[in-house]
Amino acid sequence: MSYSNDHRVEVVVQESRNNQTPKVPSCVVCARRKVKCDRTHPCSSCARHEVECIYLPHNPPQRRKRRRSEGNHRRISLSRQSPTRKSNLASARISNVDHAPATHNDFPVAPRAEQGMLLTGEGQSIYLDSNLWSSVRGELPQAEDMLRDMSDHGSDQEVDNETSLILGGTVKKDLSVLHPSPLHIFKLWQTFLDNINPLTKILHGPTIQQQILKASDSLHTISTEFETLLFSIYCISLVSLREEDVQNTYGECKTTLLSRYRRAARSSFAKAGILRTSKIVVLQAFILYLLAIRESSDPHSVWSLCGLAVRMAQRIGLHRDGSELGLSPFETEMRRRLWRQLSILDVTTAQSSGITSQLSYLSADVRPPSNVNDSELDPRMTDTPRGHDGATEMIFVLARNEFGEWMRRWSKADGGAHRGRGFLTSSSLSLEKKDKAIDELNDLYQMKFLQYCDKTIPLHYMAARLMRAIVCQMRFTAHHPRQYGGTDRLSLPVRGHIFSTCLHIIESFEDCHSNELIQRFLWHVDNHIPWDALIYMLHELRTRIDEGETKRSWVLIDRVYSRHYEQMRNRPKSALHTAMHALILKAWKAHTEERARFKRSVLPYPHIISVLAENSERGTSSHRSGLTPGPEPGESAVGSPREQSTHGIPPDGTEVIDPSFELDQYNHSPLDWGQWDDLLDQFQQDFTNSELFTTDAS
């Protein structure tokens, strides 16, 4: 996708600053606006407009040979935003590497200046920063030829061997027959605008809508790159809809449509040459596709595919801020949004895989996105829009970004030995410092976002829930029983504090599922059960008999786990579920015995206890009669047959707890968190989507 109507091919070269004191010209902004610059730092004009003041080194003119061929008239130049044009390769140093910018002082900058060159044109870009390219830049061919040779080789070419390794080898030449009708295309786009775009903001709604309207009239003529975006939009939009809504609107079941469009998306990525492409629109589409498959695919596979997206982003140069590359304000803003969304996706999928992300995106020089609405952005704009202080369409995205910035700052508190939230588990920091850090995050959220939230607006309510859940989750991480080697080493007040924190986490999770106001955003939190908080609460409920938090806890556990139990009904049961069902039954039994010992009335019987107890009795009866329920094939969320079998699931779909499973091995006194970590990791690995790497779009 092109963010500008400028069809010239542009080259931006970054070079380290010379040791000699250069002549100081006008700053970049004043030169572009053609106004007088007072040549201070920052200059008065930049300070008044609250933009970064950048001075480029004044390089002497270089001699170059002129070609007599027609190609002589096609110049490799700087972007139209750059004020100097001295040669076919001009200099544009990353100024915030060498001195503090006028704004964004609290955001990370690159540790040193880097040499590099950005080739851009017609919606694609390639970033080169190795010494080899820098040393031969004077001998480079025309940038148009480089972009063509280093990027894709045409949509009609057969899939190369490398791409087929990931996406398969059979790709249909014409995918237009797999698109829905124009009416359904627009309905899916509207769903995207309502359900997906507010939480991602990697597409500019007004621009893409015009392109979709045009494309829907002639699907046979759309570019291969834009087709990847369309199929990805179909996928993520369907994921956000309920089964009955899909059936009523599109006349087919959700499973069938999802399977069709996911396969079509993979075929389109193969046709677009995903391993070679430098088109930003393909990367946008691929990130949306990863968001669409993460709920039905194991996190290890999704995280591996995130690595491919990261390489694409680095190839395009998204890890370098567009303002330092002379790009337009619009393209700079969209690149910032895309890089941050990819970074967050990589971190979260790595965490789900039990791995600390190695992507040091917070140490790059990409600044945070601006707090502006899409209506304030335009591909033709020449001035950077001024950010707002209150809530905008970006509130959810910026709240997540603020969390990342907070982790970056505090991860240095213990010498930078731990990335991300790892400092909260470090023994080198006291609990007082950890609580101080979490209090700081809470205050930042209150000052920047929460005070402006209107809880009647779905996006604001979702953002507020996110921020409060993050704060509670960080407190639980800092005070997790893992830090003490078990709950037996915790005092009663500390255990009570941790229990209350877990209760708030489960309440936030349940509210996201039950509150109709934010049902459109359920795709973002679905299937992400806060297992740690749930396990800790069940362990503590064995001995808690108060009427307040204890009663609320059993009600929440009943709702949360009953819903998850229904979602997992037709899936293979894992060791985690066997252990969880045993823990729930044992916790309820111990809790009722404790209440009886203190002559307290028994709480209302939770529905999930009835279901699990009945299935447990059925399993015991089958075991005594010599009948062992045989395996039945399971089916994944998208309807693909599973290779694993579901032991203990009778024909009516209810689960039977295997009586040979020793419940006492999960008698957690003290609570063995290492054992639960292993079960959680195994549970995540057991759900590899078998259709993840196939491209049969039939």
Side-chain angles (χ1 to χ4, degrees), residues 570 631-635 641-642 644-646:
N570 293 322
E632 290 188 1
E635 190 165 297
R642 306 288 301 204
Q644 298 166 303
S645 59
T646 58

Side-chain angles (χ1 to χ4, degrees), residues 148-157 160 271-273 276-277:
R148 182 175 59 254
D149 293 341
M150 299 179 67
S151 187
D152 46 45
H153 302 296
S155 59
D156 56 346
Q157 184 174 343
D160 58 79
K271 287 186 64 177
R276 303 182 307 270
T277 186

Side-chain angles (χ1 to χ4, degrees), residues 393-407:
E393 298 169 359
M394 291 290 291
I395 185 171
F396 187 89
V397 172
L398 292 179
R400 300 180 77 191
N401 182 80
E402 191 66 43
F403 176 49
E405 299 292 347
W406 172 81
M407 286 194 297

Side-chain angles (χ1 to χ4, degrees), residues 40-85:
T40 60
H41 189 273
C43 72
S44 58
S45 177
C46 290
R48 185 169 61 257
H49 291 87
E50 298 183 357
V51 298
E52 184 177 1
C53 189
I54 303 174
Y55 289 91
L56 300 181
H58 183 72
N59 295 335
Q62 299 179 1
R63 297 178 58 188
R64 69 186 182 105
K65 296 181 179 180
R66 294 184 178 271
R67 297 182 180 181
R68 296 184 178 182
S69 62
E70 182 180 352
N72 178 48
H73 301 290
R74 296 189 304 168
R75 299 189 58 187
I76 303 177
S77 63
L78 284 174
S79 173
R80 64 172 67 182
Q81 282 74 36
S82 177
T84 58
R85 297 180 181 178

